[in-house]
Amino acid sequence: MGALGLVASVAVSVVLAVSGTAKLLDRDGTREAVAGFGLPAALVPVVAALLAPAELLAAVLSLVPATRTLGLSLAAVLLIAFTLVVMATLRSGRRPECHCFGRLGSAEISGRTVVRNLVLLLLVAVGLVGTSSERPSGSSAVVSVLAGVLLGAALLGGEWLTGRAERRRQEERDEAL
């Protein structure tokens, strides 16, 4: 795997690991969020229960060289499904809280949610293309992994800051009423 592919794979893994872990730590919030997207009531507990393990599985598989393609492919399927559901929900005029990162970054869905998912899909694509490249070795691999961790952390930090600002604006609107 080329250095850029490794950076992208690690960044996606970091984001999915945090997302999956946050959902596991707030199962009630995850269930409420899934219900907010308008899924049939019978599917809500199943989808809510499977989201975190699927994200964590994709995160782990994406880090292991032998299963990287499978992990990134699972990440792509999840991100495409999330994006389609968010777009359909926005089109219907609803804006539930996504709870994408549990209590860390819960905010109403918006076009920003779609853009974030598309950026993650781009990283998945870079990781998949990079799997056929020459593998970095030694210090190059270490730098690539560290860069991936930093990129994933930057994406999560941006999500947290943006979600925090959105929640603050919503509280101000609520107080004004």
Side-chain angles (χ1 to χ4, degrees):
M1 165 174 287
L4 188 57
L6 183 56
V7 169
S9 296
V10 170
V12 169
S13 292
V14 166
V15 171
L16 289 175
V18 170
S19 178
T21 301
K23 285 179 179 77
L24 280 179
L25 294 174
D26 187 12
R27 292 176 189 254
D28 292 338
T30 299
R31 244 185 326 277
E32 289 173 26
V34 169
F37 281 93
L39 268 67
L43 289 180
V44 169
V46 175
V47 171
L50 293 177
L51 275 178
E55 289 177 338
L56 292 170
L57 179 62
V60 170
L61 292 175
S62 295
L63 291 176
V64 178
T67 60
R68 186 164 287 129
T69 299
L70 178 61
L72 290 171
S73 298
L74 175 57
V77 168
L78 290 169
L79 288 164
I80 290 167
F82 296 159
T83 304
L84 292 173
V85 168
V86 167
M87 290 170 55
T89 304
L90 287 172
R91 245 179 289 156
S92 74
R94 291 179 291 120
R95 292 175 56 113
E97 286 201 15
C98 89
H99 218 66
C100 302
F101 299 99
R103 293 181 183 141
L104 297 176
S106 188
E108 287 183 351
I109 63 168
S110 65
R112 186 184 56 76
T113 311
V114 174
V115 170
R116 180 203 58 224
N117 288 354
L118 293 176
V119 167
L120 289 169
L121 275 166
L122 176 63
L123 288 172
V124 167
V126 169
L128 285 169
V129 169
T131 58
S132 61
S133 302
E134 185 178 316
R135 291 182 183 189
S137 60
S139 61
S140 178
V142 171
V143 169
S144 296
V145 169
L146 290 175
V149 169
L150 288 174
L151 178 57
L155 290 167
L156 290 166
E159 182 66 25
W160 179 76
L161 288 172
T162 305
R164 186 173 166 207
E166 284 183 21
R167 284 188 301 281
R168 194 172 318 136
R169 282 192 296 274
Q170 182 62 43
E171 288 170 3
E172 289 171 359
R173 283 191 295 262
D174 292 346
E175 287 175 6
L177 296 176

